[in-house]
Structures are given as structure tokens and as C-alpha cells.
Amino acid sequence: MQAGKPILYSYFRSSCSWRVRIALALKGIAYETVPVNLIKDGGQQFSKDFQALNPMKQVPTLKIDGITIHQSLAIIEYLEETRPTPRLLPQDPKKRASVRMISDLITSGIQPLQNLSILKKVGEVSKDLREETQLTWAQNAITSGFNALEQILQSTAGKYCVGDEVTMADLCLVPQVANAERFKVDFTPYPTISCINKRLLALEAFQVSHPCRQPDTPTELRA
């Protein structure tokens, strides 16, 4: 194991980074944060130094145990395999499959369609109505995914996404709900998503990892 604290390269508002911050908090892993501003200077993730660290030029990136890991779910699964308490993947294979299914739905089927790089491209296509077009695009991407997710959760949920224990699926849900709120999505059709999100936000690990409480959170957004 690597001596010293793990290092998380993160951006306060990044939903992918937030997933990992929740996992680190739940597992009680102390770490150092290196902020990577995705907007300042044209995006600090595009610097040569960061590209050498992560060729995809994305956050999060975690240095831990002498290795560097990219992609939030890969990081979370590594933490689960090396530091299994508390467990984020159920022991039951069927429940574990549900957790991975929901996690993938959010991280592959919703978030990438409304992330910063895609919205920039959408804005370039319609420069005259950039903000309106970007908002509509993001809302459509999220609601399409949430329509499916709400239906799935009605059969898998207990207190949380899968049963009554916090799992990797919950780590993906909360940041995506925050994105949806930022893009002014109507939550009326999503009572299950809303209830689970409310329960999760009451937990300390979700609070300390929140974007409003990070080292790089702008003063006006701190809480």
C-alpha cells in the first residue's frame, strides 16, 4: 500500500467526482484534494500535466496504493475490493446486478449526454439560442433516463435504490439528481427518485462530499 494519503483530482461541481467523494467518505478514507477547474483557463483538464495523468482529460482521477485510476465506477469498485467496509455492492448476486444496472444507466445513459463537453458542442450548433438550446437538450437527456430509472426503482428500491443499504447505485443517483435540479427538470413524475434522494442527502457522507462544501467551491456557492 502507498504511504501517505490518496490524492483525488476533482472539480467541485463534477457529478463523477462527487460519486467518488461519497465513496471515500462512506469508507472513512482520508484523502487530499487537488482541484481541477473544468472552466477556468479554457479547462485545466486540458493542460499537458493533467493529460499526462489522465489521457481522457477528465475528472475524477485518484492516486492510491501506488496506482492512478480514472473513471468513477472503476475507482469505486477498486475501493470496494480493497476496503470492503462498509459494503457498496450487495452480497446477493441478483441485487449486485441491479446495483450495477442502475449505476450504468446513470453513468452511461444519462450523465454523458448532458455533461459540459456535450453542452458546449450543442451550444456551438445553435449560437443564437445557446443557453435555451443547451437547457432543452439537457432536460431531454435527463428526463428520458429518469423515465426509465423511476420505473426500475419501483421494483428494486427499499429505503435506497436497491433495498435498505446504501450502494454504488445511490452514489450515482444523488449527483445526477443535483444535475437535474440545476437544469430545472420537473420532478413531479419521479416520486421514487425524489424520496430516495431526500433520504440519502440526510446522510453525513453525502453532506460532506456535497459540491457546496469542497475546497474549490466558489464563495457564493458555499453552504
Side-chain angles (χ1 to χ4, degrees), residues 7-204:
I7 300 173
L8 177 66
Y9 295 81
S10 172
Y11 179 56
F12 80 100
R13 187 172 267 168
S14 160
S15 56
C16 302
S17 297
W18 190 2
R19 298 168 198 154
V20 173
R21 295 196 303 259
I22 299 168
L24 290 165
L26 283 168
K27 291 181 177 292
I29 302 170
Y31 64 96
E32 296 178 8
T33 299
V34 175
V36 180
N37 194 310
L38 303 186
I39 299 173
K40 186 178 179 181
D41 303 325
Q44 294 175 346
Q45 71 274 28
F46 299 117
S47 70
K48 289 183 179 180
D49 287 346
F50 190 76
Q51 187 174 351
L53 185 71
N54 185 335
M56 277 297 286
K57 297 167 279 190
Q58 297 173 338
V59 292
T61 296
L62 183 68
K63 285 186 174 181
I64 188 170
D65 301 339
I67 61 172
T68 300
I69 314 173
H70 321 133
Q71 302 298 327
S72 61
L73 296 192
I75 294 170
I76 292 167
E77 294 226 25
Y78 177 80
L79 296 176
E80 180 73 359
E81 290 168 359
T82 58
R83 297 151 175 87
T85 305
R87 147 176 99 225
L88 297 177
L89 289 170
Q91 290 182 319
D92 178 75
K94 293 179 181 178
K95 288 186 177 181
R96 195 157 59 239
S98 292
V99 168
R100 287 184 166 128
M101 174 180 68
I102 293 166
S103 299
D104 284 343
L105 187 157
I106 295 169
T107 62
S108 299
I110 304 178
Q111 189 275 333
L113 300 176
Q114 48 90 112
N115 71 7
L116 181 61
S117 61
I118 295 298
L119 292 181
K120 281 184 177 179
K121 294 295 183 183
V122 171
E124 289 173 3
V125 172
S126 181
K127 292 181 179 179
D128 292 338
L129 297 170
R130 178 175 297 167
E131 290 188 9
E132 181 180 342
T133 303
Q134 289 174 327
L135 181 64
T136 301
W137 176 281
Q139 288 175 338
N140 289 341
I142 294 169
T143 55
S144 176
F146 273 12
N147 288 340
L149 181 60
E150 176 71 18
Q151 183 177 343
I152 291 167
L153 290 176
Q154 288 173 5
S155 64
T156 64
K159 288 174 62 180
Y160 306 119
C161 284
V162 179
D164 296 329
E165 293 184 0
V166 175
T167 67
M168 183 168 68
D170 299 298
L171 278 57
C172 298
L173 179 74
V174 169
Q176 187 56 54
V177 170
N179 284 346
E181 291 172 342
R182 187 156 55 94
F183 290 119
K184 302 176 183 178
V185 169
D186 177 13
F187 276 82
T188 305
Y190 312 122
T192 311
I193 291 174
S194 297
C195 286
I196 294 171
N197 183 67
K198 184 177 180 180
R199 292 189 193 107
L200 289 166
L201 285 175
L203 302 178
E204 182 180 6

